[in-house]
Amino acid sequence: MNDALDSKTSGRGAPDEGAVKPGSALFSMCLALTLVTASMSSPYLALPDLAADLNASTASLTWIVDGYVLALAGLVLPLGALGDRIGRRTMLIAGTVVLGASAFAAAESSGTTALITWRAVMGVGAAMIMPGTLSTITAVLPDAQRQKGVAAWAACAAVGMVLGMLATGVLLRWFTWRSVFVSGGVAALGVGLAAAFLAPETKSEHRRRFDVGGAVCTALAPAGLVYALIEGNDAGWGRPVVLVAMAVTVVAGAAYVVLGMRTEDPLLDPRLFRNQGFRAGAVALTVQFMAVFGFFFVGLQYLQLVLAYSPLKSALALVPVAVVVAVVSEVAPRLAVRAGMRTVLIGGLGLLGAGLLTLSFIDIDSGYLPFLGSLVLAGPGIGLTGVVGTSAITGSLPRDQQGVASAMNDVTREAGAAIGIALTGSLFAGHYRSSLPDLSRLPEPAAEVVRHSPVGGLEVAGRIGPQGALLATSVKEALMKGMSVALASVAAVIAVAACLLVRTPQRPAPPD
């Protein structure tokens, strides 16, 4: 699927060796991936400002973050397949235009509905960009360099998230949250130009019929699940619309399997999951991204609302874990060769789960050092799982199926992120509200603001005089309760995933 390369216009055969500079192509693709992941994480540090400026509830904040990720998760497979047909670089550059234009539009949003909508359109642009990054890298790089290229790609996926938050922290020191989206639009323009000048055009050699049924199913299944998780907690699990969303998830998932078994050229053949290496990589990456993005949603609120860190200081507080991830990502391929894929994946998930579980025990008086210790414990797990999980998928398939491998890497990451944000956001919001003290002494509008979100609760506490200090402490304690339950639940999911990998072989089976 990925062998047909041409650095100019056609998709027939490999390009002339002198025409393709693998280093330049790798740089431009890693830059594009960094844009995608930075755009995913950049709103996190702006959530308190968004809550105050747009009067956004916790559910609305969840949708602002998850709208982008959900669009990306649902469309990455069909848009990746379309890119295989018309050219991956062409699709990527078009995606930078869509992402950039919608980012500029998001900066002009006057309410949460408009912002959620434009964030979703940004996700569409990201879904046009992301599939071509890994498939171009695996196609352009020589076999001897491909594993290093995959490791660099996986490292950029993790480091880009922290870079996005660092940029947000810097911008919010002098400007409003709108500047975050303006800078994202400018960055998208730069990425598009880099791809145009540095990356070759790549296409699939084989013209395949587009799998409409698979595209619909892979979009509906995660969308239904995320909607049910967010709205079920906010409005009630028994509401008909929530039950319908759950039913859509089940039906779409089952239909994907049935249609995929009957379709000659499915977007993602469900039979691939019989391959143990492929399946192990998919499980590990889904759970890893679920944990990382779930942590961002609740952990950054601890830094900003409990420790009273500025956005920039909060971003800098995460730099140590980014350094750990980058270093471990470099050694992960060698460690997998020595210790075995199964050992590294289970060990990586174990470290990640242990870090989040430890983090769930901190309280409002813990300070930064226990928080940092938990992150440093989780960091190696992120690096090991990300690189080895990616290699497990790409190494399980032959070279002409690397487009499928790339698509699977993309969809597992984004589906995991979307589910993680929805799950942790839902658990956090529910337990925050249930842990608040009796608010009957407050006027009902003020009490509703407190229930709305921790940001609202702290704003009310700052306006009610001597009783405000007691309310602020109660709000922070409720925040910590919600964070504790959310992170402990994610750690439990990680433990289950690690158990599922026990029978994974130490070495992936050689591709057919």
Side-chain angles (χ1 to χ4, degrees), residues 40 48 60 88 192 195 213 226 231 235 253 272 275 281 357 380 406 410 416 426:
M40 290 170 70
S60 294
R88 299 183 184 101
V226 168
E231 296 300 323
L272 291 172
N275 183 307
L357 184 61
S406 174
D410 296 341
S426 176

Side-chain angles (χ1 to χ4, degrees), residues 39 43 62-76 79 95 98-99 101-103 105-106 109 112-128 181:
S39 297
T62 306
W63 276 118
I64 289 169
V65 175
D66 226 359
Y68 174 98
V69 184
L70 187 56
L72 175 53
L75 296 175
V76 70
L79 291 178
V98 173
L99 191 153
S102 52
S109 299
T112 56
T113 301
L115 184 54
I116 292 168
T117 300
W118 287 118
R119 280 283 292 168
V121 179
M122 288 177 66
V124 175
M128 299 168 70
F181 295 102

Side-chain angles (χ1 to χ4, degrees), residues 439-451:
L439 302 175
S440 59
R441 294 185 178 181
L442 291 175
E444 184 53 34
E448 187 57 32
V449 170
V450 175
R451 298 186 195 102

